[in-house]
Amino acid sequence: MLLKPENKNKLVQILKYHVVSGSMKSQDVIKLDDIETVEGSKIEIMRRNDDVLINDAKVVMADIYTKNGVIHVIDKVLLPK
């Protein structure tokens, strides 16, 4: 459904909700309670035992370094409110 031309803006909004500005390594992320996304909304960062949660998504792999930033893999798609 999101790949239909009439839904392009919604797809862009969802993708931007998964991105923050700058290179945030896991050691920086775990110090925060929330952070603003490129989309403009905030996502919540929580620590539960040895897990890090972004909203209700668990970080399953952290600190994948790329040429233009750092990727942290989560176990579900985040949807803006």
Side-chain angles (χ1 to χ4, degrees):
M1 168 185 103
L2 288 172
L3 297 178
K4 291 182 179 180
E6 63 268 21
N7 295 323
K8 180 181 177 186
N9 290 340
K10 184 68 175 170
L11 176 61
V12 169
Q13 180 187 23
I14 291 170
L15 293 174
K16 286 182 176 182
Y17 190 64
H18 287 78
V19 178
V20 299
S21 294
S23 288
M24 298 293 298
K25 296 180 268 184
S26 60
Q27 65 190 27
D28 302 322
V29 172
I30 61 171
K31 296 175 186 174
L32 304 173
D33 293 324
D34 60 34
I35 191 168
E36 187 172 331
T37 68
V38 172
E39 180 267 342
S41 300
K42 287 191 175 187
I43 52 175
E44 186 177 26
I45 301 166
M46 297 173 287
R47 290 152 300 286
R48 187 182 310 147
N49 300 321
D50 291 333
D51 296 329
V52 176
L53 302 174
I54 307 299
N55 289 349
D56 62 343
K58 181 180 171 183
V59 176
V60 295
M61 188 178 301
D63 295 330
I64 301 170
Y65 295 95
T66 66
K67 289 183 181 181
N68 62 345
V70 182
I71 297 170
H72 306 290
V73 180
I74 55 177
D75 66 353
K76 62 174 67 175
V77 175
L78 302 174
L79 297 174
K81 295 178 180 161

